[in-house]
Amino acid sequence: MHLMRGVALLAALAFAAGCANNAAPTDTKTAQSPVERGKYLVTIGGCNDCHTPKKLGPNGLPDFDMSLQLSGNPSTEKLAPVPEGLIAPGKYLTVVNNHLGAWVGPWGVSFAMNLTPDKATGLGSWTEDMFIKALRTGKHQGAGRPILPPMPWNWYRNMTDDDLKAVFAYLQSLPAINKPIPDPIPPDQIPR
């Protein structure tokens, strides 16, 4: 009887050890520069989803145009008309263009901004403090107009200061792309 219990105990320990060896590796802290950390955060945060223009891929699915990475909604594209009454209770909350960079909703039209360090059209004239305040308060440049949907600033505001500084450092390391982005359009001026 003791032998059976001993064998069962050894089998259970061997099984547990095998499971432990097959477990996902734990995150070992490797030294990352702020730019590397920022790139990681921008990637997992989905920033490219809205801020990088798209081109149609071979299967008709949108692919990121990485030559314009994080340069915002293409301002050269005309917005398609939005039928009256499409955005309403019981219908749609929002519609979006093919780049996922122009969003129409009850707030009007918002455009994904240019996050490259271009001084005239992107974040090149922003300070690190302005960037952090913008994501903490939901105000453009930390003190301006409200940041409109779908920008999830209300989730990103929970990032640590170090993480927000790393994101800013990464964005400042990108090639500057001069690409103006339209101002938001109020609800009563949505193209129809």
Side-chain angles (χ1 to χ4, degrees):
M1 184 72 149
H2 290 287
L3 181 61
M4 292 297 284
R5 273 192 252 172
V7 170
L9 178 61
L10 283 175
L13 288 172
F15 177 75
C19 290
N21 289 337
N22 292 329
T26 58
D27 183 18
T28 57
K29 285 282 187 186
T30 57
Q32 282 185 314
S33 72
V35 170
E36 291 169 326
R37 175 76 178 158
K39 180 178 182 179
Y40 168 75
L41 292 167
V42 163
T43 301
I44 65 164
C47 301
N48 283 296
D49 292 354
C50 295
H51 292 274
T52 297
K54 317 301 178 288
K55 53 188 173 185
L56 286 182
N59 297 323
L61 298 173
D63 284 338
F64 297 106
D65 183 351
M66 296 308 278
S67 69
L68 297 171
Q69 182 181 15
L70 298 168
S71 65
N73 182 71
S75 60
T76 54
E77 286 206 13
K78 188 170 174 66
L79 284 176
V82 178
E84 189 73 42
L86 179 66
I87 297 172
K91 294 193 177 185
Y92 289 92
L93 173 63
T94 186
V95 293
V96 64
N97 72 352
N98 291 335
H99 294 280
L100 305 179
W103 294 76
V104 183
W107 61 87
V109 183
S110 52
F111 299 94
M113 75 175 288
N114 182 347
L115 299 180
T116 74
D118 183 70
K119 290 198 183 297
T121 65
L123 296 178
S125 64
W126 287 43
T127 65
E128 181 181 80
D129 186 56
M130 290 165 73
F131 181 78
I132 291 171
K133 282 183 183 173
L135 291 178
R136 293 263 189 258
T137 65
K139 302 285 185 188
H140 183 72
Q141 296 186 327
R145 65 166 174 76
I147 296 175
L148 298 172
M151 178 60 189
W153 69 268
N154 52 321
W155 296 114
Y156 296 154
R157 72 177 172 194
N158 297 308
M159 296 170 75
T160 66
D161 282 350
D162 284 345
D163 281 348
L164 289 172
K165 288 175 182 179
V167 168
F168 186 72
Y170 171 65
L171 295 174
Q172 293 297 304
S173 78
L174 296 171
I177 299 173
N178 183 281
K179 193 154 121 295
I181 304 298
D183 288 331
I185 299 172
D188 61 346
Q189 295 177 24
I190 293 174
R192 305 272 182 216

